[in-house]
Amino acid sequence: MVKQDPTAGRNWYVVHTYAGYEDAVREALQQRIESLGMQDLIFDVVVPKETQIVIKKGQPVTEEKRIFPGYVLVDMTVTDDSWYAVR
């Protein structure tokens, strides 16, 4: 694996996971960030979703749909420590 330049700063990265487990991965990452004290290196963990109105049994129902199934977005500064927290 190619090492990131630590002076590159803060960027968004993509974590691939099984479709349907994005929220569980987001929660696990947030707990790990908290337990390892990585809040100064990992700023946000997002599962992109959009709200859609779907007709079910003739009635409109709002549902949240994942925009990128199987992916979680992480806003972080890459260092050896922060990379360990995410993988």
Side-chain angles (χ1 to χ4, degrees):
M1 181 174 96
V2 177
K3 292 234 177 195
Q4 296 284 329
D5 179 12
T7 60
R10 181 175 171 173
N11 288 307
W12 283 94
Y13 296 89
V14 177
V15 177
H16 185 178
T17 184
Y18 291 112
Y21 289 90
E22 299 90 351
D23 290 325
V25 169
R26 179 180 51 81
E27 290 296 323
L29 281 174
Q30 287 176 334
Q31 288 176 356
R32 191 168 174 133
I33 291 163
E34 218 172 280
S35 69
L36 295 173
M38 294 287 166
Q39 295 88 348
D40 57 334
L41 295 173
I42 304 172
F43 307 102
D44 201 6
V45 180
V46 178
V47 177
K49 297 180 182 179
E50 65 182 356
T51 304
Q52 293 181 343
I53 298 175
V54 180
I55 306 298
K56 290 189 177 181
K57 297 183 182 178
Q59 299 293 322
V61 178
T62 58
E63 291 183 348
E64 277 195 333
K65 301 270 185 168
R66 289 178 202 88
I67 297 173
F68 304 114
Y71 295 96
V72 178
L73 305 179
V74 181
D75 181 15
M76 63 186 275
T77 302
V78 175
T79 64
D80 287 340
D81 292 336
S82 65
W83 180 247
Y84 170 76
V86 173
R87 56 177 196 122

